[in-house]
Amino acid sequence: MTSITGSIITVCSGFCRSVADIAVPPLCPLCRADLSSAPRRLCSACEEQLPCLPERRCHGCGGGNDSYLELCRDCLQCGGRPWSGAVSAFPFAGQLREAVHAFKYQRRTSLAPFLASAMAEAWHCYGEAPAPDLIVPVPLHWLREISRGYNQAGLLAQWLGRELRRPVVNALCRRRRTSQQARLRIEQRLKNISGAFTVKKPSIIAGKSLLLVDDVFTTGATLSAATATLLAAGAAAVYVITAARD
Ligand SMILES: [Zn+2]
Ligand SMILES: [Zn+2]
């Protein structure tokens, strides 16, 4: 089998699996326990173990904030953030960490509605009102998207668009492949990602406020590069939302 045929089959099987996942009613999105006797968002065991961010949040990264200032220590240390505000739904811990890993690397696309609904809830509590004009996912390089079968941030953006009733625009393009950020230190991450994005059609985002979507906020290097690109292309403001804050 050629690698191109293999990639096409990967894309198709990813799509079919995501349709099948959504069509099977109703399972706990985290552990897949049967919820048909009492429909709710999670089974009671998962609901009990679900990690939560503290009430006091950092405006710069969406994580917990134990400083007396508006920004947490990480955000102060990096000299502030280029976006206007950030919100995250969960800490990147416990079963949430496993869930995001499965969502990203093991084709558990059925987790997208649950994660996006928690992100929308977090936005209503900690974000701006009204929500930004357009929702923009952080893109993968097209080769990585083909081999994975989907862009996890793109799926979150689609479901979040429904929740917040905002259009989703794939405004960004990743013009070169970068080493996987998870394996790099902060300085290497910034260097690795610098100049990686372009805006496809600046006229679509010019003068608009944007909500930039990604799965996990780790150092913020990828989100910083994407935000800088969007602002340079004429966006009025960029806000950030992630499913989890590492
Ligand atoms: Zn469960
Ligand atoms: Zn912070």
Side-chain angles (χ1 to χ4, degrees), residues 28 30-31 43 46:
C28 171
L30 294 183
C31 72
C43 72
C46 287

Side-chain angles (χ1 to χ4, degrees), residues 27-33 35 41-47 95:
L27 303 176
C28 171
L30 294 183
C31 72
R32 293 179 164 175
L35 294 181
R41 71 166 189 165
L42 294 175
C43 72
S44 48
C46 287
E47 195 72 65
Q95 60 177 171

Side-chain angles (χ1 to χ4, degrees), residues 6 9 13 25 33 57 71 73 77 84 89-90 109 120 140 158 163 171 176 179 183 191 205 208 211 217 228 234 237:
I9 290 171
S13 70
R57 308 275 176 103
L71 298 178
R73 287 161 218 271
Q77 239 170 27
S84 304
F90 296 107
T109 49
L140 294 177
Q158 290 298 337
E163 297 269 353
R176 61 182 167 79
S179 311
R183 297 179 190 146
K191 198 172 164 195
I205 59 156
K208 302 274 198 249
L211 185 55
F217 188 116

Side-chain angles (χ1 to χ4, degrees), residues 80-179:
R81 307 287 190 181
W83 46 80
S84 304
V87 168
S88 198
F90 296 107
F92 192 49
Q95 60 177 171
L96 226 292
R97 190 184 187 102
E98 286 166 31
V100 170
H101 197 273
F103 173 55
K104 195 165 172 173
Y105 300 114
Q106 293 159 11
R107 301 179 181 279
R108 285 279 302 280
T109 49
S110 57
L111 283 158
F114 163 72
L115 293 172
S117 137
M119 289 160 80
E121 206 174 301
W123 184 263
H124 290 312
C125 291
Y126 298 98
E128 304 283 319
D133 302 319
L134 302 172
I135 295 182
V136 177
V138 170
L140 294 177
H141 187 269
W142 65 273
L143 278 173
R144 183 159 289 151
E145 184 164 345
I146 284 178
S147 72
R148 187 169 292 174
Y150 55 96
N151 171 15
Q152 70 280 358
L155 288 181
L156 291 175
Q158 290 298 337
W159 286 96
L160 189 62
R162 291 187 196 190
E163 297 269 353
L164 297 179
R165 298 182 183 174
R166 288 289 184 275
V168 180
V169 178
N170 289 309
L172 285 167
C173 174
R174 205 148 178 154
R175 64 178 165 191
R176 61 182 167 79
R177 293 192 78 179
T178 49
S179 311

